[in-house]
Amino acid sequence: MSHPVYHNLIGGAWVPAASGKTFLNLNPADSADVIGAFPSSDAEDVNRAVAAAKKAFITWRLVPAPKRAEILVRAGNLLVQNKEKYARAMTREMGKVLAETRGDVQEAIDEAFYVAGEGRRLFGVTTPSELQNKFAMSMRMPLGVVGLITPWNFPMAIPSWKLFPALVAGNTCVIKPAEDTPLSTYNLMQTLIEAGLPPGVVNIVSGFGPHAGAPLVEHRDVRAISFTGSSEVGSLVGQRAAASFKPVSLEMGGKNAMIVLDDANLDLALDGALWGAFGTTGQRCTATSRILLQKGIAAEFTEKLVARARKLKVGNGLDAGIEVGPQVNRQQIETSQKYVEIALAEGAKLLTGGRALTEGPYAHGNFFEPTVFGSVSPAMRIAREEVFGPVVSLIEFDTFEQAIEIANSIDYGLSTALYTKNVNRAFAAIRDLEAGITYINAPTIGAEVHLPFGGVKQTGNGHREGLSAIDFFTTWKAVYVDYSDKLQRAQIDNQ
Ligand code: UN1
C-alpha cells in the first residue's frame, strides 16, 4: 500500500534526509494504517538546518517584535480553520481521543494568541543610574538559533509552547519532534509557513534522539535547548549541553498525587480521578498516578472508582464514545505491563485491569486496560516511579499532615491536587505541597498556557514554560547611556 512521504523543512525547502533514510509512522490503534514515511535525520541534516537557521537569524532578529507577533496571530487563525483536520490527523498518529486532540490543537491556538501579545510587551526595566546625567536600562535580546526537542503526547501543543515564544523573541529554531508524532509538528510548521514566516526561521528535522537529537544538543551554533520528555533522556540532554555551557530547559516526569480528604465532594473527586488518571491514557507528565485517600472515605471511593474504571470504553480514539485510546507504541505497553508485575511482586492489590488488550478490535493496536492498584504503600516503586500509562495507585492515610508528607516523599514535583471543602487545609496544601502546580478541587491535569508550567525536584531544572517562557528564550542586555559629556566613574568614591 502506498503512503505519503514527508520531508524535513530546511531553509524554507522540503527536503529528504541527506542519507535518504526514512522511518514509518504507524497508527497506534491499527498498525496496518501507515501515516507516512518521515526522514530519519542525522548530524548532516542537523548541520544544514542549523546553518539555515543561523542565516535567517541575521534578518529575523531585526523584524520588529510586533510584526513577528502578527505572524503568530495569522498562525493562530489558520489553526482555528484547520483544527478538525489536524485533530483527526493527531488521533490517527498518536491515539488520544478526538476530544483531546482537538484540545491539543486548541492549546496551540491559545498559545499563539497569548504569545502574540508579547510582541508588544517584551518588557525591560529602566532604573536610575548612580551617576548624574546617565541613563540605565535593561533589554531582552534574542539568543540566536535555539534547538527544540519535543514529546509525542502533546505533539502540537508542546512544540507551540516552545516555538511561539522563541519566535516572538526573535530567535530562529530547529525542532526535532518525537519519532512517534512528526506529522502533527509538520502540520504546525506548515501553518507557520502559510502564516508568512520567512524561510529558515523554523526548520524541522525528524528522526531519533541519538542520531538527530544529540547533534542538535551538541551543535556549536545552537545557543539554547528546550526539551520535554523523559527524565532519562533529559539527564543526557542536560549533561551534554552543560559541556558547552548551553542553557537548557528540561521538562520531565511526574508522579502526581491527588489527595482526597474525608470532607471532599466524593463524586467530584471521582470524576477528577478518572479524568486525571485515564485521560490521554495516562500518558501525560501531569497524569494523576497516585490517589491518596483519607481512611473515612477510602473504601467507598475505591469501590466506586474501580466500578467506573471498568466501564471506561477503550478503543480507537476516532470512534464515537471511546474514552481511552491506545498507548502510543509497543514499548509503552511493555512499560505498563512491567509495572503491573512490579506492583504485584511488591504486594499491591490489583483491583481492576492489568493486561494488554489483544483480541478482536484490539488485535492490531497498542491497548491496555485501565488499571487500579489498591493497598499501595508509599515506599513501593509503583508509588514512586512514573509509568506513563493507564495505571493508578491508591494509597490510604489517616491525617492531612501524613497526606502532605506522602505526596512530597517522591523525587518528582510537577502537579498535585487536593479535594476538600476546608479552606484552611486548602491553603496549607498550597503552601506545603512540593510541586510546580497545585489544584484545589480539580484534577492534576489541564494546565492553562498563560500560567507557569513546570516542576521542582527531578521534574525539571528550574525553568518554566507558559508565563516565563520568554525568560528562557531571551537574554538580558544592560545598557548605560552617559550624557554628561565627561568621564564618569562608577564604583569610585566620587565626591
Ligand atoms: C505534558 O504531559 O507534558 O496540564 C503536558 C496538562 C496539559 C499539558 C501536559 N495541558 O495536563
Side-chain angles (χ1 to χ4, degrees), residues 339-340 342-351 372-377 380 382 393-394:
Y339 274 100
V340 166
I342 289 169
L344 289 171
E346 287 176 314
K349 205 165 149 206
L350 181 61
L351 301 176
V372 181
F373 277 105
S375 307
V376 174
S377 76
M380 292 179 182
I382 194 67
S393 297
L394 308 185

Side-chain angles (χ1 to χ4, degrees), residues 107 153-154 158 161 228 283-286 439 444-447 453:
E107 223 170 296
N153 65 338
F154 279 82
I158 291 180
W161 297 357
T228 299
Q283 301 172 121
R284 292 196 194 205
C285 55
T286 49
Y439 291 90
T444 59
I445 66 175
F453 184 87

Side-chain angles (χ1 to χ4, degrees), residues 335-358:
T335 305
S336 297
Q337 195 72 67
K338 181 184 93 180
Y339 274 100
V340 166
E341 281 153 28
I342 289 169
L344 289 171
E346 287 176 314
K349 205 165 149 206
L350 181 61
L351 301 176
T352 185
R355 287 173 316 150
L357 292 159
T358 52

Side-chain angles (χ1 to χ4, degrees), residues 125-381:
V125 179
T126 57
T127 180
S129 162
E130 65 191 53
L131 296 167
Q132 267 188 8
N133 297 324
K134 192 174 174 192
F135 178 84
M137 65 177 171
S138 46
M139 302 164 62
R140 291 179 184 275
M141 308 297 282
L143 301 170
V145 180
V146 297
L148 314 174
I149 301 177
T150 53
W152 46 261
N153 65 338
F154 279 82
M156 193 174 276
I158 291 180
S160 81
W161 297 357
K162 300 182 192 299
L163 276 168
F164 296 171
L167 293 174
V168 84
N171 302 286
T172 55
C173 305
V174 177
I175 185 166
K176 204 293 280 174
E179 60 270 21
D180 286 298
T181 53
L183 179 59
S184 296
T185 314
Y186 277 64
N187 287 337
L188 188 60
M189 294 294 123
Q190 191 64 52
T191 304
L192 284 166
I193 302 291
E194 277 173 42
L197 202 70
V201 174
V202 292
N203 303 274
I204 181 168
V205 285
S206 67
F208 296 82
H211 308 292
L216 187 60
V217 173
E218 283 166 3
H219 201 294
R220 280 178 61 89
D221 291 333
V222 173
R223 294 293 157 81
I225 293 284
S226 179
F227 167 87
T228 299
S230 69
S231 297
E232 200 187 345
V233 178
S235 168
L236 290 174
V237 170
Q239 290 176 55
R240 288 187 184 201
S244 57
F245 312 110
K246 196 170 284 178
V248 51
S249 166
L250 302 172
E251 177 53 48
M252 300 168 295
K255 189 74 189 177
N256 311 292
M258 167 191 284
I259 301 170
V260 187
L261 298 185
D262 283 344
D263 73 346
N265 175 341
L266 270 205
D267 289 330
L268 181 71
L270 276 165
D271 286 343
L274 284 155
W275 174 228
F278 302 119
T280 324
T281 322
Q283 301 172 121
R284 292 196 194 205
C285 55
T286 49
T288 304
S289 48
R290 298 183 290 160
I291 304 179
L292 279 46
L293 300 169
Q294 198 161 20
K295 290 265 166 66
I297 49 89
E300 185 187 348
F301 187 96
T302 303
E303 193 189 314
K304 288 186 169 167
L305 179 76
V306 169
R308 287 185 58 182
R310 281 197 183 121
K311 283 202 205 118
L312 288 170
K313 291 200 181 62
V314 179
N316 186 329
L318 286 172
D319 294 344
I322 294 299
E323 293 162 293
V324 180
Q327 289 206 258
V328 76
N329 58 36
R330 290 312 303 170
Q331 293 97 284
Q332 294 304 126
I333 292 284
E334 280 160 24
T335 305
S336 297
Q337 195 72 67
K338 181 184 93 180
Y339 274 100
V340 166
E341 281 153 28
I342 289 169
L344 289 171
E346 287 176 314
K349 205 165 149 206
L350 181 61
L351 301 176
T352 185
R355 287 173 316 150
L357 292 159
T358 52
E359 309 280 308
Y362 303 120
H364 302 290
N366 308 318
F367 294 97
F368 204 86
E369 292 174 326
T371 299
V372 181
F373 277 105
S375 307
V376 174
S377 76
M380 292 179 182
R381 286 180 66 190

